[in-house]
Amino acid sequence: MLSAVLHCSQLVTLAGPSRPRVRDELKNLAIIPNGAMTIRDWLIEAVGTTPDIRSRITPQHEIIDARSRVVLPGFVDAHTHAVFAGTRVEEFELRAGGATYQQIAEQGGGIRSTVRKTRAASEDELFQAAQRYRHWFLRTGTTTLEAKSGYGLSSKDELKLLTVIRRLGYVPTFLGAHEIPDEFRGNTDGYVRLLIDEMLPAVARARLAEYCDVFCEPSVFDIPSAREILTAARALGLKLRVHADQLSRSGAAELAADLGAVTADHLEHIDEHGIDALARARVQPILLPASVCTLGSNRYAPARKMIDAGLAVVLATDFNPGSSPTPSMPLVLSLSSTHMRMTPAEALTAATINAAYSLDRGAQIGSLEPGKCADFVVHDCSDYREIAYFAGIESPHSVFVRGKLACSRSAQPCN
Ligand code: NIG
Ligand code: FE
C-alpha cells in the first residue's frame, strides 16, 4: 500500500534527537510549511514540502489531500485507567453538592465502587465498555494508549482487566496497588502480602504487563509498602511507574527516583527536592491537569519548574471514572497552557514524542520521521496553536493508524 499526504499547512514533524526532549527542545516542533509525506504500508517513507514529495509520487500512490490543514503525529496518552465497568455519575453529583473525592472514598465509594462493578462484569462486558471509550480516544486524536489495571484488586479480576487491555492493544500496566479492597479493610499488610506473594508472580507468569504502578499515598500505600511492592515488581522484570505526590507530599517522587522508575505521575504536591531527585535519576514526570480540573482543584503540578530543571515532561489524560472522566488530549493541551504556563509547542512535544519515550516506544511513534509508524492526524485548523486555543471542540478531521484511516468526521453541512 502506497499513499501520500499533501498540502499540509503545517506538517508538525517533531523530528529531532532520538531521546526525550528537554528545556528549549520542547519548543522545537520541526514544522514543515506546505508539508507532505509518503507512506509505504504502515511506515512513513519520506517527509518534505509538497513540491518535494510530489516528485516522488507514482500512479500507485493514493492521495490524501490535507487541504491546508495541520497534520500532527497521533497523541500518545501515557497514563490512563481506560478499562472499567459502569460510571460514577452519582459521585459526580455529590461532589457538585460539596462532597470531596477523599470523603467519598472514605465512605466506601470512589475506586472501591468501580471495583465492585468491575468484579461483577465479564471480560467481554469490560471489552465492550472499553471499545466505546477507545472510539472517543481515536476521535480526539489519540493513536497510542497506556492503560492500567487496578479495578479488580484480586488475582482473577486483575488478570481479567489485563487480558482486556491486551485485546485492546494498549500498553499494559499492572496497578493492583490502586486501593485496599473491601475484604482487606484494616489489613493493608495482608493485601500487600497478597500483591507480592500471589498477584505479581501471576501477572509476570502470564506476561500480561510491561509496567507496574502503585498509588503511593499515606492513606493508601505508604512509602515503605510502595517500596516493597515496586521492588518485588522490578525483580520480576517489570518496569516501574508511580502515582506520586498527587494528594499530599509524601516523598513518592524521591522513591520513584531511588528505584529507577521510568515515570512519576501526577506530582501536584512535589517540591524542589522531589524535582531534583527526578532530574538526577532522569525519571519522566507525567502531568495530568484534567484530573486537577475535574476535581475542582487549582493546584496544578509545577510544570515550569520541571522544564527549567531539565525534566522531559509528559502530558496525559488520566482517563478514569472518578478523578478524570475525559479522554481528550486537546483538553489537556488547553489546560496545560491556561493553568501550567506551558506553551502550545511545549505541550505538543509532551503529548507526543516525550510520551512515546515514556512508554519505551520513542523509536517507533511520537514523531513524523522516515521509518516511523504512520500514526497521524489531520486537524481541522491551519495553525497548530488552535488545537489548545479553541477549547471544547474536537479538532481532528481524520485519524490514521499505521497508515490506515481509523476515524473521520462526517462531512460538514456548512461549507
Ligand atoms: O489517577 N489516584 C488514583 N487513581 C486515579 C483515580 C481513579 C479513580 O478515581 O477511579 C487517578 O486519579
Ligand atoms: Fe492515574
Side-chain angles (χ1 to χ4, degrees):
M1 190 200 79
L2 295 171
S3 56
V5 188
L6 302 177
H7 306 300
C8 310
S9 63
Q10 300 175 323
L11 184 74
V12 182
T13 68
L14 287 120
S18 302
R19 55 168 170 73
R21 313 291 161 75
V22 296
R23 301 184 195 275
D24 277 355
E25 292 169 355
L26 282 151
K27 295 196 183 109
N28 184 2
L29 300 180
I31 292 173
I32 304 177
N34 191 17
M37 59 186 178
T38 53
I39 293 156
R40 179 182 289 273
D41 299 326
W42 64 94
L43 295 177
I44 298 169
E45 196 173 43
V47 173
T49 63
T50 297
D52 288 347
I53 292 296
R54 229 181 229 303
S55 61
R56 309 173 65 108
I57 295 177
T58 65
Q60 281 76 49
H61 280 87
E62 184 196 325
I63 304 295
I64 299 160
D65 187 344
R67 294 179 189 269
S68 295
R69 295 187 177 92
V70 168
V71 172
L72 288 185
F75 295 124
V76 177
D77 194 341
H79 181 137
T80 83
H81 307 249
V83 183
F84 54 85
T87 68
R88 300 231 290 274
V89 285
E90 301 82 6
E91 295 180 9
F92 180 67
E93 192 167 12
L94 288 175
R95 282 193 280 122
T100 67
Y101 181 78
Q102 278 116 308
Q103 281 165 353
I104 292 170
E106 277 154 25
Q107 286 158 19
I111 295 169
R112 282 187 286 149
S113 80
T114 300
V115 169
R116 282 174 222 124
K117 293 176 204 160
T118 302
R119 285 178 172 181
S122 69
E123 184 192 310
D124 280 336
E125 284 164 346
L126 286 168
F127 184 73
Q128 295 285 322
Q131 286 269 55
R132 174 174 179 233
Y133 306 132
R134 171 154 64 180
H135 187 66
W136 294 356
F137 281 103
L138 265 182
R139 75 180 212 205
T140 48
T142 297
T143 51
T144 301
L145 273 91
E146 179 261 17
K148 301 170 198 300
S149 62
Y151 294 117
L153 310 188
S154 69
S155 294
K156 169 169 131 309
D157 293 299
E158 285 293 304
L159 290 171
K160 176 174 73 179
L161 282 166
L162 288 168
T163 304
V164 175
I165 291 169
R166 178 164 67 187
R167 282 174 66 185
L168 291 158
Y170 298 165
V171 179
T173 297
F174 172 62
L175 178 59
H178 194 195
E179 189 32 307
I180 313 297
D182 291 342
E183 64 278 15
F184 280 93
R185 287 321 271 184
N187 180 14
T188 301
D189 287 349
Y191 187 58
V192 171
R193 291 270 55 89
L194 181 77
L195 273 164
I196 293 174
D197 297 340
E198 186 188 306
M199 292 167 81
L200 267 170
V203 167
R205 256 196 317 277
R207 295 182 176 276
L208 280 171
E210 245 178 80
Y211 295 92
C212 176
D213 194 340
V214 171
F215 183 23
C216 184
E217 194 64 45
S219 58
V220 193
F221 296 94
D222 60 13
I223 297 279
S225 29
R227 180 185 286 280
E228 214 187 333
I229 297 161
L230 291 165
T231 304
R234 196 176 54 179
L236 289 166
L238 295 171
K239 297 174 276 185
L240 310 181
R241 313 175 89 79
V242 188
H243 277 70
D245 297 339
Q246 177 184 9
L247 305 173
S248 62
R249 168 89 189 108
S250 66
E254 283 89 338
L255 176 69
D258 200 31
L259 294 176
V262 181
T263 70
D265 305 37
H266 281 285
L267 305 172
E268 287 86 2
H269 289 259
I270 197 172
D271 63 11
E272 266 80 15
H273 296 289
I275 293 178
D276 271 3
L278 296 185
R280 269 186 269 111
R282 292 175 189 258
V283 179
Q284 285 192 262
I286 301 197
L287 310 185
L288 308 161
S291 66
V292 179
C293 174
T294 309
L295 290 177
S297 159
N298 53 18
R299 184 164 186 148
Y300 288 86
R304 283 257 61 87
K305 285 187 183 157
M306 293 179 185
I307 292 171
D308 291 346
L311 298 185
V313 171
V314 177
L315 286 167
T317 61
D318 196 18
F319 177 68
N320 72 69
S323 68
S324 193
T326 179
S328 172
M329 286 301 284
L331 174 65
V332 167
L333 299 183
S334 286
L335 292 170
S336 72
S337 288
T338 52
H339 290 276
M340 292 157 75
R341 294 180 41 237
M342 290 176 72
T343 66
E346 290 172 329
L348 266 187
T349 305
T352 54
I353 188 72
N354 276 10
Y357 276 107
S358 84
L359 294 175
D360 215 358
R361 284 160 173 74
Q364 292 86 37
I365 55 171
S367 65
L368 302 178
E369 298 180 86
K372 284 196 148 181
C373 283
D375 289 356
F376 63 96
V377 179
V378 181
H379 286 266
D380 200 6
C381 55
S382 57
D383 181 313
Y384 75 88
R385 290 171 293 191
E386 292 178 46
I387 296 165
Y389 163 75
F390 283 121
I393 57 141
E394 280 179 15
S395 57
H397 174 275
S398 30
V399 180
F400 293 81
V401 179
R402 308 286 189 266
K404 286 207 187 109
L405 184 66
C407 170
S408 175
R409 205 186 303 162
S410 56
Q412 292 169 6
C414 301
N415 63 1

